[in-house]
């Protein structure tokens, strides 16, 4: 797991910074080279930016004693050391929002929140300076601070936006921090925030769990440990795999795309075409542990894994039941080359796929209905697709019928079923010769010329179509 060491700020350290940066680069690169299957992977890189907004509590209660010193002094010194460490890494941007530091109580000022240091290259030095001069004075407007933090993150195509809230108290105004946090995640503005409680009662956990990942620091050394864990989670991905299970519960299915959505914002995070690696196992993926995913496995029909969460620092396995078999529709003729037919789940009207004649396609095992746009249309229902088997549907070879008319006129074509005429096609009113590919069977064609003004001039022709046959039907 990639962690951030705390670095003291001394004059000697300033002189040694170029060497430290070099060592950090070597250290990070070495970690990446030696990653085991179940490890974390650093997200810090020059072409990928992680933006961390510290929302810092400077309300009146932060002046209270906490072990060796006041809460604000302890939190300030530990946070400054963390900023020192983060400053050395590529792909990291920092900012600082503070609340409760402008207006003393009473009265209560619920608008007392301000972005003191925006995201910039010089932000670390500005954050250190601002933290040194903060004095606890006011109230605790957490909801308002989170609401305004939405504007603290400017537009960025390739950024992960993270909030780390450091506080010693719950919401003191009328806002709902949980609702605000959910809205921020839903809009895709930030990932799930981190909340670090300073010396708080464990009974307050429920008030913060709904905001984000909550950690309670009962003691000073615990705060430093928690901050290190939080930063590690913010900067590291976690490995995972998706097991696509067959009917026997074995992960043998593969070669389908998987779309990973952010469950909250519905934004696409990844596309991974599933594969089995050289060891015969589903391939390892690298995922962000701060994102709750919805995984759509693009089988036909698709299968969805809801609320997929990876466990930070552990290899997470997701599973989906996607047993598949193959369907192909064949005909011993080239007349239907390029024709597409409709595939539906048995008894349902929703079209799952438009599949071409002679093309093989995989489907989740079960029963399906086919609608093939031949003339007349073929409806083949209850086709069974079985695990790892190919279901082949043979349709009859059609015949070719040429209609020859003495004049243009109105005509229609019927197939004979059970002694009744079922309409299948209307002939072209403006054409004197028309060729149709028809399924084998008994037919009647009814015609009246355009100029014939009496119904007694209607002509009816009966004919049969044989597989692969060719006939002419004349209207004279």
């Amino acid at each position: 797991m990639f962690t951030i060491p705390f670095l003291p700020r001394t004059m000697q350290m300033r002189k040694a910074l170029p060497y430290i940066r070099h060592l950090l680069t070597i250290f990070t690169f070495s970690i990446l080279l030696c990653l085991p299957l179940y490890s974390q992977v650093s997200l810090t890189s020059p072409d990928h930016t992680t933006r961390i907004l510290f929302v810092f509590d400077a309300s009146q209660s932060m002046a209270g004693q906490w072990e060796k010193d006041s809460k604000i002094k302890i939190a300030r010194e530990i946070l400054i050391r963390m900023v020192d460490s983060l400053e050395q890494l590529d792909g990291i941007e920092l900012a600082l929002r503070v609340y409760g530091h402008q207006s003393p109580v009473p009265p209560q000022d619920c608008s007392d929140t301000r972005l003191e240091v925006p995201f910039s290259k010089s932000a670390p030095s500005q954050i250190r300076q601002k933290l040194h001069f903060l004095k606890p004075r006011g109230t605790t407007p957490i909801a308002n601070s989170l609401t305004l933090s939405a504007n603290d993150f400017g537009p960025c195509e390739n950024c992960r936006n993270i909030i780390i809230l450091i506080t010693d108290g719950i919401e003191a105004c009328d806002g709902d921090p949980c609702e605000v946090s959910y809205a921020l995640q839903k809009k895709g503005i930030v990932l799930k925030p981190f909340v670090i409680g300073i010396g708080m009662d464990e009974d307050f956990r429920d008030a913060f769990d709904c905001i984000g990942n909550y950690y309670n620091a009962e003691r000073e050394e615990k705060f430093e440990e928690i901050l290190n864990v939080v930063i590690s989670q913010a900067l590291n991905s976690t490995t995972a795999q998706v097991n696509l299970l067959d009917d026997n519960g074995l992960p043998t299915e593969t070669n389908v795309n998987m779309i990973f959505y952010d469950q909250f914002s519905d934004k696409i995070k990844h596309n991974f075409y599933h594969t089995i690696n050289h060891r015969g196992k589903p391939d390892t993926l690298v995922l962000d542990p701060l994102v709750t995913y919805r995984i759509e496995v693009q089988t036909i029909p698709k299968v969805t894994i809801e609320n997929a969460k990876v466990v930070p620092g552990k290899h997470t396995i997701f599973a989906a039941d996607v047993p598949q078999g193959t369907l192909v529709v064949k005909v011993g003729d080239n007349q239907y080359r390029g024709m597409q037919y409709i595939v539906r789940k048995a008894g349902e009207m929703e079209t799952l796929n438009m599949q071409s004649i002679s093309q093989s396609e995989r489907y989740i095992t079960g029963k399906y209905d086919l609608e093939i746009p031949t003339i007349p249309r073929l409806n083949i229902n209850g086709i069974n697709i079985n695990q790892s088997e190919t279901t082949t549907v043979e349709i009859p070879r059609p015949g070719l019928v040429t209609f020859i008319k003495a004049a243009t006129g109105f005509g229609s074509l019927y197939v004979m079923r059970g002694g009744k005429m079922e309409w299948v096609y209307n002939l072209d009113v403006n054409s004197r010769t028309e060729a149709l590919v028809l399924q084998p069977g008994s037919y009647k064609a009814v015609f009246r010329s355009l100029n014939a003004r009496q119904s007694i001039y209607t002509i009816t022709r009966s004919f049969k179509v044989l597989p692969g046959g060719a006939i002419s039907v004349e209207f004279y």
Side-chain angles (χ1 to χ4, degrees), residues 351-386:
T351 297
L352 290 178
N353 190 27
M354 294 290 294
Q355 185 171 338
S356 296
I357 298 289
S358 299
Q359 172 195 355
S360 296
E361 189 66 81
R362 292 189 301 164
Y363 294 87
I364 298 293
T365 56
K367 290 183 179 294
Y368 293 85
D369 295 340
L370 312 181
E371 183 178 332
I372 305 174
T374 54
I375 303 176
R377 190 170 296 262
L378 291 176
N379 292 293
I380 306 174
N381 299 328
I383 298 297
N384 275 311
I385 305 294
N386 299 316

Side-chain angles (χ1 to χ4, degrees), residues 267-409:
K267 291 185 177 181
I268 297 172
K269 306 300 286 187
H270 306 285
N271 274 285
F272 293 119
Y273 229 100
H274 192 278
T275 185
I276 301 295
N277 64 26
H278 65 280
R279 292 176 296 181
K281 303 292 184 182
D283 194 34
T284 298
L285 310 175
V286 177
L287 300 177
D288 192 333
L290 303 187
V291 178
T292 298
Y293 294 98
R294 182 179 74 256
I295 306 172
E296 292 187 355
V297 184
Q298 299 300 298
T299 49
I300 307 176
K302 70 181 179 183
V303 173
T304 302
I305 305 173
E306 299 282 354
N307 296 307
K309 300 179 182 179
V310 296
V311 180
K314 295 183 179 180
H315 186 71
T316 305
I317 297 178
F318 304 112
D321 292 316
V322 292
Q324 296 177 89
T326 301
L327 170 68
V328 60
V329 172
K330 291 184 176 181
V331 59
D333 200 293
N334 289 327
Q335 296 280 11
Y336 292 148
R337 182 188 300 273
M339 175 182 284
Q340 291 187 316
Y341 57 94
I342 297 172
V343 182
R344 302 184 178 97
K345 291 189 73 172
E348 299 183 9
M349 290 304 298
E350 179 185 358
T351 297
L352 290 178
N353 190 27
M354 294 290 294
Q355 185 171 338
S356 296
I357 298 289
S358 299
Q359 172 195 355
S360 296
E361 189 66 81
R362 292 189 301 164
Y363 294 87
I364 298 293
T365 56
K367 290 183 179 294
Y368 293 85
D369 295 340
L370 312 181
E371 183 178 332
I372 305 174
T374 54
I375 303 176
R377 190 170 296 262
L378 291 176
N379 292 293
I380 306 174
N381 299 328
I383 298 297
N384 275 311
I385 305 294
N386 299 316
Q387 172 73 59
S388 303
E389 294 181 4
T390 297
T391 298
T392 301
V393 177
E394 297 272 0
I395 62 175
R397 291 180 64 194
L400 180 65
V401 180
T402 302
F403 296 94
I404 303 172
K405 314 165 191 174
T408 60

Side-chain angles (χ1 to χ4, degrees), residues 439-455:
Q439 281 288 290
S442 298
Y443 293 86
K444 286 186 183 292
V446 181
F447 176 79
R448 179 181 64 79
S449 69
L450 190 64
N451 297 323
R453 299 299 181 180
Q454 292 179 295
S455 297

